[in-house]
Amino acid sequence: MPTYRILSMDGGGIRGLMTAIILQRLTATPGLERLVDSADLLAGTSTGGLLALGLAKGLDLDLLRRTYVEKGPRIFDDSWLDDVMDLGKLRGADYSITNLKRELQNLLGDATLGQLHKRVLITTFDLDNEDPRRRTWKPKLFHNFPGPNSDRAHLARDVALYTSAAPTYFPSVDGYIDGGVYAANPAMCALAQSLDRRYSPTPLLDEVVLLSLGTGTSLNYIKGAVHNWGYVQWIKPLVSIMLDGTAGIADYQCHQILGDRYHRLAPVFPRGMSIPMDGVDRIPYMTEYAQSLDLTATIDWLKATW
């Protein structure tokens, strides 16, 4: 039987609503009521990081779901004046961080990572480590494991802001941006953290099981065999390519390492349907889609393995 359970949640902005709904449906299934409670580690990137922090604080899934539905349009609210100031999105982030900051304060209060009820791993990217000997940018994984280099003193709401600061959507916060630039799917990061022997007791690899939840994938492709493109042509598709690519490779790595002890639920939208991270106008569609999604394979895996 497994002794260490990891729940990993992808980034995806407003599409985190679907993760909240899927978790609601899973925990409403007889025998899976304690799915979240029984997790030893909650890992998240961006919107998945917000869910991980909220669940680790003990917030109800219904509250988190309502936050997406009721507060999402306010968080992704772009005024015409702001568009004028940032030259129609060519200069300056799409959205102010103010409304998101207010909602995170309401949800997470003054809790530190060390005061959360569960272990968390939250991906961010540090734009400047300010090390005079080797100054550079680098990935930063915030966690609350007791031991060396722990981030237990950091406020959960601050870390939530860091992991949500998606480039072009929100400004950076305290020099941090969204960890989705290297781990849109944080599952492999979570697996590595769980096996770090600096933070005992450390499970054996064959004691770990991992459930990875995506936020919906669009069927994108670039037609043709040769693309002699420059910055202008590549900049728009390149962001999606990198996000889908990092998510896909993490899925491959976890599957290769864990085998049947790993399961990924990554819904694929119908052909022609694309939902951006700020697609608040698609909240009704996402709600219906997540409610009707076939969860049979995931439920069967959880009952057999989790």
Side-chain angles (χ1 to χ4, degrees):
M1 291 295 291
T3 60
Y4 200 92
R5 300 169 178 87
I6 301 172
L7 173 59
S8 173
M9 292 165 281
D10 284 17
I14 195 65
R15 299 197 307 271
L17 168 63
M18 295 199 302
T19 303
I21 293 173
I22 288 168
L23 283 173
Q24 276 190 312
R25 291 181 59 198
L26 291 175
T27 54
T29 303
L32 299 181
E33 297 88 349
R34 296 193 66 255
L35 169 60
V36 175
D37 293 339
S38 62
D40 296 285
L41 172 60
L42 301 174
T45 290
S46 192
T47 196
L50 305 190
L51 288 168
L53 291 165
L55 293 172
K57 190 176 184 292
L59 300 182
D60 183 78
L61 277 166
D62 185 61
L63 171 61
L64 295 171
R65 173 177 175 171
R66 285 188 285 108
T67 299
Y68 282 101
V69 174
E70 297 171 7
K71 309 299 184 182
R74 186 179 304 171
I75 291 169
F76 292 107
D77 180 25
D78 194 18
S79 69
W80 68 268
L81 179 60
D82 182 63
D83 274 351
V84 171
M85 294 296 291
D86 63 23
L87 301 181
K89 307 184 189 302
L90 291 176
R91 185 189 70 185
D94 282 356
Y95 307 104
S96 166
I97 205 77
T98 303
N99 290 334
L100 176 59
K101 187 175 184 179
R102 182 184 303 115
E103 296 308 327
L104 292 174
Q105 170 72 58
N106 293 336
L107 289 172
L108 300 171
D110 296 325
T112 65
L113 294 187
Q115 291 171 328
L116 300 179
H117 305 306
K118 286 192 170 295
R119 298 283 179 263
V120 294
L121 182 77
I122 310 298
T123 69
T124 69
F125 192 88
D126 185 358
L127 296 174
D128 182 1
N129 65 2
E130 298 183 348
D131 184 342
R133 298 167 301 174
R134 195 175 182 180
R135 192 167 185 175
T136 186
W137 55 28
K138 63 181 179 65
K140 166 62 180 174
L141 296 156
F142 282 90
H143 68 82
N144 57 359
F145 285 60
N149 302 314
S150 180
D151 303 296
R152 292 170 61 82
H154 280 76
L155 290 173
R157 67 170 187 258
D158 287 345
V159 177
L161 278 176
Y162 302 160
T163 194
S164 302
T168 76
Y169 287 92
F170 294 108
S172 63
V173 181
D174 296 339
Y176 293 99
I177 60 173
D178 189 334
V181 296
Y182 66 92
N185 170 0
M188 189 62 194
C189 295
L191 177 58
Q193 177 70 28
S194 72
L195 300 174
D196 190 332
R197 297 197 177 278
R198 293 176 297 173
Y199 307 105
S200 61
T202 306
L204 299 174
L205 180 59
D206 60 7
E207 296 174 333
V208 177
V209 295
L210 198 162
L211 173 62
S212 174
L213 299 179
T215 58
T217 301
S218 300
L219 295 172
N220 294 317
Y221 62 92
I222 298 175
K223 186 178 180 180
V226 178
H227 303 89
N228 186 20
W229 289 354
Y231 289 111
V232 173
Q233 297 98 329
W234 273 116
I235 191 62
K236 186 175 181 180
L238 195 58
V239 173
S240 295
I241 287 171
M242 290 190 297
L243 291 175
D244 289 348
T246 60
I249 198 63
D251 178 42
Y252 169 79
Q253 291 166 331
C254 288
H255 181 74
Q256 292 296 107
I257 293 171
L258 295 176
D260 292 339
R261 287 176 288 111
Y262 168 75
H263 179 83
R264 179 158 171 82
L265 174 59
V268 178
F269 296 125
R271 185 174 60 182
M273 173 57 68
S274 179
I275 302 178
M277 290 195 290
D278 57 351
V280 292
D281 59 323
R282 303 287 174 84
I283 285 177
Y285 174 84
M286 287 187 287
T287 301
E288 181 180 355
Y289 182 80
Q291 290 282 21
S292 61
L293 194 65
D294 184 2
L295 301 181
T296 303
T298 302
I299 290 171
D300 289 345
W301 179 86
L302 285 167
K303 289 185 174 181
T305 309
W306 189 266

